[in-house]
Amino acid sequence: MPVTIKDVAKEAGVSISTVSKVINNSYTISEETAKKVREVMERLHYHPNLTARNFVKGSTGNIIFLTNLERNSAFANPHMFEIICGAQKSLEKKGYSLQILNAPTNEAQIEAVERIIAQRNADGIILHGCADNKELAPFILKASFPHMLIGCPNFDSQLCWVDINNCLSGEIAATHLVEEGYRDIAFIGALETDFISVHRLQGVKKALKSLEIPINPAYIKQCADDVSKAKKAMAELLQNEKHPDSVICENNLITLGALDIIKQNGLKIPDDIAVITFDDYPFSQITEPKLTVVNIDVYEMGVQAGNMIISKIKKPNLQIQSYSTLPELIVRESTKK
């Protein structure tokens, strides 16, 4: 016969209601009692009927992660999967499942959000890559639907969001180069529509201004997020009468293109030109030399997004707009003189 909640209560020496509260993560149960009940559940191989439990609670037990999934997404946007893993980990602890939903365009995002709210087939939405979709906000805010946006929106909004302080990341990168003795600092970023790149460049300029280090406008290049375009941008930097002594590359793909052109021109890193990038994944540790990076723990940001969406479900009026974990400088051979 299958194990029941009564069997768990009897074995743990508690009431059925106590077991039920432990299953539902009630804060009224002490951690000691909750731990004992969970150990009994695991030993007896008891698995609560989540569908029935959620029906009684008026909950689906489901959170939707709305994003853009295209071919080669794992290569072009590896951070998305780290965020998903972090969010899933925190939601799992609270008894929620995470469902990934593809919405490749702004119109598809709006349609998906409208459908989720109308059908109530999820308790909340985590929105990834939607920070520039201004038209989403009215639907979510009017319905007071629990949500969490990954990335600070580029417009004034009451939406809840969590983000990395990319401006601070740029400051850290520029400050490190100056401390190492570099003065002719270049920046290769993505196009102006990429707000992560824009904010990192803002941070670079802010740091250099405070350190009274002038930045040559010819040393700032913006290109499509593509290795071949990055090669062209790096080649243009080296064509200056005096080429930069260091370059800040906005992401790993841009860095790959820059490294190739630097080596093709017979320059040594960091003797002739230093290189620093952002994010310690996926290429920074396998290049030659290994790259100095300003790292962002996007997994932890996913964990925080999961925790925050649960808080929103419990308190729908809660307003959350915050930056998560601080960037970390990891110094390697590419900037050491």
Side-chain angles (χ1 to χ4, degrees):
M1 292 180 62
V3 177
T4 68
I5 193 171
K6 291 182 180 179
D7 299 323
V8 175
K10 182 179 179 180
E11 182 70 17
V14 298
S15 66
I16 293 174
S17 64
T18 296
V19 178
S20 178
K21 289 177 180 179
V22 171
I23 293 171
N24 289 292
N25 298 304
S26 172
Y27 294 107
T28 62
I29 304 299
S30 70
E31 185 57 37
E32 181 181 354
T33 300
K35 182 179 179 182
K36 181 171 71 172
V37 171
R38 292 191 190 102
E39 288 174 349
V40 171
M41 290 169 60
E42 185 175 352
R43 187 168 71 251
L44 298 181
H45 303 289
Y46 173 71
H47 303 286
N49 188 326
L50 294 180
T51 301
R53 186 192 77 178
N54 290 332
F55 179 78
V56 172
K57 292 171 59 181
S59 164
T60 66
N62 183 42
I63 303 295
I64 288 179
F65 191 97
L66 190 68
T67 188
N68 179 11
L69 290 173
E70 296 180 335
R71 188 165 186 165
N72 296 321
S73 289
F75 179 79
N77 191 4
H79 290 162
M80 176 178 66
F81 295 96
E82 283 290 292
I83 294 170
I84 290 172
C85 290
Q88 191 277 334
K89 185 69 174 179
S90 63
L91 291 172
E92 182 183 37
K93 291 181 179 179
K94 300 296 184 180
Y96 283 84
S97 60
L98 186 67
Q99 176 187 348
I100 300 174
L101 181 62
N102 183 36
T105 65
N106 283 4
E107 292 75 17
Q109 292 166 7
I110 294 169
E111 182 182 341
V113 168
E114 285 186 293
R115 186 172 65 252
I116 293 165
I117 292 174
Q119 297 175 354
R120 294 284 167 171
N121 55 8
D123 297 331
I125 315 174
I126 297 175
L127 303 113
H128 176 265
C130 305
D132 61 345
N133 193 348
K134 191 174 183 178
E135 296 176 355
L136 267 179
F139 299 101
I140 297 173
L141 296 174
K142 184 178 180 180
S144 298
F145 197 74
H147 65 278
M148 186 56 55
L149 185 66
I150 302 293
C152 174
N154 58 2
F155 52 90
D156 291 335
S157 174
Q158 295 301 308
L159 289 173
C160 295
W161 54 264
V162 60
D163 199 3
I164 297 293
N165 192 332
N166 289 297
C167 186
L168 177 59
S169 300
E171 290 183 56
I172 291 172
T175 301
H176 168 68
L177 290 177
V178 173
E179 289 176 346
E180 289 293 319
Y182 301 100
R183 293 295 181 269
D184 299 313
I185 299 172
F187 179 90
I188 305 179
L191 298 175
E192 291 183 355
T193 52
D194 187 319
F195 290 96
I196 293 177
S197 180
V198 169
H199 292 155
R200 286 174 174 170
L201 177 56
Q202 288 174 352
V204 169
K205 290 180 176 179
K206 180 180 177 181
L208 294 179
K209 183 178 180 180
S210 67
L211 295 168
E212 299 182 347
I213 304 294
I215 184 167
N216 187 341
Y219 285 178
I220 299 176
K221 297 292 180 181
Q222 292 171 299
C223 62
D225 197 3
D226 178 83
V227 173
S228 61
K229 298 294 191 298
K231 288 182 179 181
K232 181 181 178 182
M234 188 69 233
E236 291 173 354
L237 286 175
L238 296 181
Q239 288 170 5
N240 283 285
E241 185 175 349
K242 181 183 179 184
H243 72 68
D245 62 7
S246 55
V247 59
I248 301 171
C249 296
E250 194 273 323
N251 61 45
N252 278 203
L253 282 178
I254 288 175
T255 307
L256 287 180
L259 290 176
D260 189 42
I261 294 301
I262 290 170
K263 292 177 181 178
Q264 282 184 32
N265 281 268
L267 300 175
K268 293 183 179 180
I269 303 171
D271 297 343
D272 299 314
I273 185 168
V275 179
I276 185 171
T277 187
F278 302 87
D279 311 325
D280 200 30
Y281 179 81
F283 304 120
S284 60
Q285 297 186 54
I286 60 175
T287 58
E288 183 60 41
K290 291 182 179 180
L291 295 169
T292 293
V293 300
V294 179
N295 190 43
I296 293 97
D297 191 345
V298 291
Y299 179 92
E300 179 59 27
M301 183 167 69
V303 170
Q304 292 192 30
N307 290 334
M308 289 174 179
I309 193 74
I310 298 300
S311 297
K312 279 287 293 179
I313 291 169
K314 293 179 178 178
K315 298 179 180 179
N317 294 327
L318 185 65
Q319 182 72 359
I320 304 172
Q321 295 182 340
S322 69
Y323 291 106
S324 64
T325 52
L326 291 174
E328 175 193 11
L329 177 67
I330 303 175
V331 180
R332 299 196 181 100
E333 293 88 341
S334 69
T335 59
K336 288 182 179 178
K337 281 195 172 182

